[in-house]
């Protein structure tokens, strides 16, 4: 019985490769949504240099 408990605990402590891929994809999608949101805010506020905006957004997100 102790072996079964140990095996279940080990299985629950590890992350499946598919789950890691899903985490990465969802993080990239979150970054893209944030970039779009910031672009929208800058467009509404009249900021004209949106070509510099996207690299700034990704630099900020990579720092976190």
């Amino acid at each position: 019985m102790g072996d079964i408990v140990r095996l279940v605990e080990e299985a629950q402590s590890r992350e499946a490769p598919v789950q890691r891929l899903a985490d990465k994809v969802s993080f990239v999608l979150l970054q893209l949504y944030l970039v779009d949101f910031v672009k929208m805010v800058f467009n509404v506020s009249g900021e004209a240099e949106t070509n510099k905006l996207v690299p700034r957004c990704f630099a900020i997100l990579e720092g976190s």
Side-chain angles (χ1 to χ4, degrees), residues 35 38-43 47 49-58:
V35 166
V38 171
K39 281 176 57 177
M40 182 180 64
V41 169
F42 271 72
N43 285 336
E47 179 69 33
E49 297 185 30
T50 56
N51 60 341
K52 294 180 182 178
L53 180 65
V54 174
R56 281 189 226 157
C57 290
F58 279 113

Side-chain angles (χ1 to χ4, degrees), residues 6 9 14-15 17-19 23 26 28 35-37 41-42 44-46 61-62:
R6 182 181 53 79
E9 287 175 350
R14 285 184 278 178
E15 192 174 83
V18 173
Q19 182 63 42
D23 290 343
S26 65
V28 169
V35 166
D36 284 341
F37 175 74
V41 169
F42 271 72
V44 168
S45 69
L61 290 171
E62 287 175 357

Side-chain angles (χ1 to χ4, degrees), residues 2-16:
D3 291 336
I4 294 173
V5 172
R6 182 181 53 79
L7 288 173
V8 169
E9 287 175 350
E10 284 179 15
Q12 289 177 340
S13 68
R14 285 184 278 178
E15 192 174 83

